[in-house]
Amino acid sequence: MRKRFMTDQSEINEYVNRWFAAEDEVLQWVQQTSREQGLPPISVQPFEGKLLHMLVHLIGARKAVEIGTLGGYSGIWLARALPDDGQLFTLDISEKHAEVARAAFERAKVSDKVEIWVGNANENLHRLDASGPFDFIFIDADKTSYPQYLTWSIENLRKGGIVCAHNALRRGAVIQPEGEDNLALAEFNRRIAEDERLMGHLLTIGDGLAVGVRK
Ligand SMILES: C[S@@+](CC[C@H](N)C(=O)[O-])C[C@H]1O[C@@H](n2cnc3c(N)ncnc32)[C@H](O)[C@@H]1O
């Protein structure tokens, strides 16, 4: 008789991380430093970072935007996939987070490719228009603004460019959404699925990664 396996999701994640997304010394240092500096443990997981890295690489992205820097963890995965003359603009409202991320990008030797913009992303994004169009946009900040971030992304992505969003499932709360954050994510997912300018999907890894390819 065939054996059935019931494996805990965290064991599966560990397995995937071990084989496909092992953190080097720099990424481990970034996570440890972020903890020591009191930053919340809300970065992407290694297997998500690796997927972002692969997508950036796959489309030969040169110019990327990240909304939500935190301590620079996902930013390093993104920046490492860009060519030497590539650019990552990463936006965060917190000067403290930006300071931790600055040290992380130095340590990862990607500072030459990364600009950190401190302030409310809803305001700063419009100042970024002139540097576009962009190849890749990663959304991972305040949930209520996801729909606005999507509007900006669709207008500022090149054809074939990709927009990705973290926490798209909200642990399933988007199915029958209640509360501002979950309602915003449900609206965001509906638009990724229905907007004719995008080819959309929602990958059920981690807490969900929504992906839209600009047509
Ligand atoms: C989930 S964390 C980002 C994690 C990061 N992408 C990673 O995986 O390493 C969300 C970040 O968004 C920032 N943030 C929240 N509201 C924002 C806003 N209105 N504009 C810019 N950044 C904001 C927070 O300060 C926080 O650092």
Side-chain angles (χ1 to χ4, degrees), residues 42-44 68 70 73-74 92-93 97 119-121 140-142 149:
I42 52 174
S43 71
V44 297
L70 193 65
Y73 184 80
S74 54
D92 205 287
I93 202 163
H97 295 181
N120 191 331
D140 190 17
D142 52 317
Y149 296 151

Side-chain angles (χ1 to χ4, degrees), residues 85-104:
D85 62 348
Q87 274 180 301
L88 171 67
F89 300 90
T90 182
L91 284 63
D92 205 287
I93 202 163
S94 158
E95 177 52 55
K96 180 179 176 183
H97 295 181
E99 202 181 307
V100 175
R102 226 168 266 129

Side-chain angles (χ1 to χ4, degrees), residues 155-168:
E155 284 164 6
N156 288 278
L157 272 177
R158 61 124 158 126
K159 277 196 175 140
I162 291 180
V163 54
C164 279
H166 195 218
N167 306 117

Side-chain angles (χ1 to χ4, degrees), residues 84 93 132 169:
D84 288 347
I93 202 163
L169 285 172

Side-chain angles (χ1 to χ4, degrees), residues 148-190:
Q148 284 103 286
Y149 296 151
L150 183 60
T151 299
W152 184 87
S153 299
I154 294 171
E155 284 164 6
N156 288 278
L157 272 177
R158 61 124 158 126
K159 277 196 175 140
I162 291 180
V163 54
C164 279
H166 195 218
N167 306 117
L169 285 172
R170 304 283 300 163
R171 300 201 173 96
V174 287
I175 298 169
Q176 290 188 320
E178 281 177 24
E180 258 191 319
D181 287 0
N182 297 331
L183 283 163
L185 257 296
E187 163 70 4
F188 178 90
N189 291 339
R190 187 189 61 73

Side-chain angles (χ1 to χ4, degrees), residues 193-208:
E194 287 186 349
D195 195 301
E196 289 181 350
R197 295 164 294 177
L198 293 175
M199 188 193 304
H201 209 338
L202 205 172
L203 309 182
T204 56
I205 70 163
D207 190 24

Side-chain angles (χ1 to χ4, degrees), residues 44 48-68 74-83 86-91 113 125 128 131-140 149-150 152-166 198 203 209-214:
V44 297
E48 296 170 309
K50 175 67 179 288
L51 178 60
L52 296 171
H53 179 89
M54 280 181 71
L55 291 172
V56 168
H57 185 77
L58 193 69
I59 62 164
R62 307 183 75 79
K63 268 194 279 181
V65 175
E66 175 180 61
I67 309 173
S74 54
I76 292 174
W77 282 103
L78 294 169
R80 282 177 168 174
L82 294 169
Q87 274 180 301
L88 171 67
F89 300 90
T90 182
L91 284 63
K113 302 187 219 176
L125 278 177
L128 255 187
S131 306
F134 300 96
D135 305 299
F136 193 92
I137 298 171
F138 177 48
I139 301 173
D140 190 17
Y149 296 151
L150 183 60
W152 184 87
S153 299
I154 294 171
E155 284 164 6
N156 288 278
L157 272 177
R158 61 124 158 126
K159 277 196 175 140
I162 291 180
V163 54
C164 279
H166 195 218
L198 293 175
L203 309 182
L209 190 75
V211 181
V213 180
R214 182 72 164 93

Side-chain angles (χ1 to χ4, degrees), residues 24-46:
D24 64 4
E25 174 273 324
V26 174
L27 288 168
Q28 288 173 13
W29 180 87
V30 172
Q31 292 298 52
Q32 189 189 329
T33 306
S34 296
R35 276 195 299 275
E36 287 166 4
Q37 296 291 323
L39 268 53
I42 52 174
S43 71
V44 297
Q45 301 188 61

